[in-house]
Amino acid sequence: MSFPSDGSLRFEIQARCSQTGARAGLLHTAHGAIETPVFMPVGTQATVKALTPRDLLDDLNAKIILANTYHLFLRPGHERIERLGGLHQFMAWPRSILTDSGGFQVFSLDNLRKITEEGVLFRSHLDGDQHLFTPQSTVDIQLALGSDIMMVLDECLGYPATYEAARESTDRTIRWACAAFEHYRKRQKGLHCALFAIVQGGMYPGLRRACAERLLELEAPGYAIGGLSVGEPRALSLEIAAATAPLLPADRPRYVMGVGMPEELPLYVAQGVDMMDCVLPTRNARNGYLFTSQGKVVIKQAQYLDDPSPLDPACDCYTCRTFSKAYLRHLLQAGEILFSTLATLHNIRYYLDIMRRMRQAILVDKFPEFLKSCATAVADS
């Protein structure tokens, strides 16, 4: 099954799991085909922290990364990036880019922003200057950046939130999405950027359903599930995603924003999710928290002081092929920049390998066995 959509984006489903909602596909953009399910490394400010584009291309074979509208708008500015050839040329990244609208960042500013029907009035966390994000302006910013996939401006509520607050927020998100798509469809002709809608609704399944039903009227080329990882228990995140994903078109890519731990990735894919992103692999790497096939490794612990073994004997990334746990611990303790590079390289590789193994399991209709093996590994770790 293949769905042609706005711009140069096309989604092709290649296989479905016979027992779960998991599916494997190809997401075609102007900058290449992306095998799904996919995890997108986060490159908030036009860089995946501690890595070069060559690392991402040659060592990790990442097909898509995520950048952020809020941060790039503030510094160096979308107009400057556009003058310099767009985000792909600016950061020397030849493959696909998804840009978040900045909604999550703006709403996390708390006392530095004010929500109105027009949009969000906020003060920069850098210099205190005042700015206004509207559904239309965030589309314009992302078009200037030239990303392959853009996100609408949405309102992201923290947890917990009352039903009334969530209802008002959801209604506003729907109105903003309608305004964003009206503006986008006037502007995007001939461009390769596709705009995704975002389903909100807090932790209320009824509001999620109502939001999804309204957003389906937009015929978006893809749909995201937003408003997770905002302080709620992880089990509730999965519950809301599981309730929302089946409401979205089966022939469009489904993207759950901001999740999750490695053991959670297969659980989201089992619900029919195709795309995910999270800062955990990069942020945890820089702090010495490493994911391995044998469980987590907190490399600063003294037990690794004289350990000559590789970080993960089951991993063939450059870090694991070349260096010992003792050396990695030394780099962290010495405050060496190289530690962040080696640790981040491994953690992202670990995430991408999980996704690749999942995809292969779906293609050969062995995904339930994959799920069971993951649950066993978590129980044993």
Side-chain angles (χ1 to χ4, degrees):
M1 178 185 297
S2 179
F3 172 71
S5 60
D6 296 1
S8 300
L9 187 139
R10 181 169 58 87
F11 185 51
E12 172 188 356
I13 297 176
Q14 298 175 299
R16 300 176 189 270
C17 174
S18 59
Q19 298 179 46
T20 72
R23 65 255 196 102
L26 286 174
L27 183 59
H28 300 272
T29 79
H31 289 91
I34 302 155
E35 296 179 334
T36 66
V38 64
F39 179 86
M40 298 178 285
V42 176
T44 301
Q45 303 195 74
T47 171
V48 176
K49 285 183 171 58
L51 299 183
T52 68
R54 185 173 59 187
D55 296 326
L56 290 161
L57 289 168
D58 296 345
D59 289 316
L60 297 171
N61 195 25
K63 300 297 179 66
I64 181 171
I65 61 175
L66 182 148
N68 186 262
T69 296
Y70 168 82
H71 289 283
L72 296 176
F73 167 79
L74 292 179
R75 183 175 54 192
H78 61 290
E79 293 171 336
R80 175 169 286 111
I81 291 175
E82 185 176 33
R83 288 196 302 271
L84 292 169
L87 191 54
H88 289 87
Q89 184 168 330
F90 183 62
M91 63 184 295
W93 176 248
R95 295 180 178 173
S96 301
I97 299 174
L98 180 147
T99 45
D100 186 1
S101 69
F104 181 83
Q105 286 71 30
V106 167
F107 292 112
S108 68
L109 293 174
D110 197 16
N111 61 338
L112 294 178
R113 49 86 174 165
K114 179 182 179 182
I115 304 168
T116 69
E117 186 60 29
E118 183 182 6
V120 186
L121 191 66
F122 65 95
R123 291 192 177 277
S124 165
H125 71 285
L126 298 174
D127 56 18
D129 284 355
Q130 187 168 272
H131 304 279
L132 175 67
F133 269 3
T134 70
Q136 297 85 354
S137 73
T138 51
V139 166
D140 289 336
I141 294 166
Q142 292 177 88
L143 287 174
L145 295 175
S147 53
D148 299 276
I149 300 173
M150 315 185 307
M151 307 304 298
V152 297
L153 181 67
D154 62 326
E155 183 173 354
C156 188
L157 282 182
Y159 176 85
T162 66
Y163 179 85
E164 184 59 27
R167 185 190 63 77
E168 291 181 4
S169 173
T170 302
D171 289 345
R172 185 177 293 112
T173 286
I174 292 169
R175 292 192 296 271
W176 283 357
C178 292
F181 269 87
E182 181 181 5
H183 184 70
Y184 162 75
R185 284 177 171 143
K186 290 176 182 176
R187 284 218 51 206
Q188 65 85 24
K189 290 180 173 39
L191 301 176
H192 68 258
C193 309
L195 183 64
F196 281 21
I198 304 175
V199 177
Q200 290 286 354
M203 302 302 148
Y204 300 96
L207 291 178
R208 292 276 176 173
R209 175 176 293 276
C211 186
E213 289 174 352
R214 289 290 309 280
L215 294 181
L216 293 187
E217 298 172 9
L218 296 172
E219 286 291 329
Y223 287 86
I225 301 171
L228 301 181
S229 298
V230 291
E232 78 280 6
R234 291 192 175 273
L236 185 54
S237 300
L238 183 61
E239 180 183 325
I240 292 299
T244 307
L247 306 174
L248 305 178
D251 60 354
R252 322 286 166 94
R254 300 163 176 165
Y255 166 29
V256 176
M257 307 175 76
V259 298
M261 292 292 285
E263 63 271 16
E264 296 168 343
L265 304 182
L267 302 178
Y268 285 102
V269 170
Q271 305 305 323
V273 170
D274 308 294
M275 305 168 67
M276 288 172 277
D277 78 279
C278 189
V279 297
L280 277 176
T282 49
R283 180 178 293 167
N284 282 16
R286 297 192 303 276
N287 291 315
Y289 185 113
L290 305 168
F291 302 106
T292 79
S293 61
Q294 299 176 330
K296 69 179 181 182
V297 170
V298 181
I299 199 67
K300 70 178 180 181
Q301 293 176 348
Q303 63 180 301
Y304 303 116
L305 185 61
D306 295 303
D307 191 335
S309 66
L311 175 61
D312 187 347
C315 178
D316 67 351
C317 76
Y318 173 67
T319 301
C320 294
R321 292 196 319 267
T322 313
F323 304 102
S324 67
K325 292 192 189 83
Y327 182 65
L328 294 174
R329 184 185 186 278
H330 157 69
L331 293 178
L332 176 64
Q333 295 299 95
E336 287 293 334
I337 294 172
L338 179 59
F339 175 78
S340 291
T341 296
L342 297 178
T344 303
L345 189 70
H346 168 76
N347 268 5
I348 292 183
R349 175 63 175 270
Y350 185 76
Y351 269 64
L352 297 185
D353 279 350
I354 291 174
M355 306 309 290
R356 289 168 185 144
R357 284 163 40 220
M358 268 195 282
R359 174 180 164 79
Q360 184 58 33
I362 297 167
L363 288 172
V364 299
D365 203 16
K366 297 290 185 182
F367 184 71
E369 291 87 339
F370 181 88
L371 267 180
K372 185 177 180 180
S373 68
C374 289
T376 301
V378 170
D380 293 342
S381 64

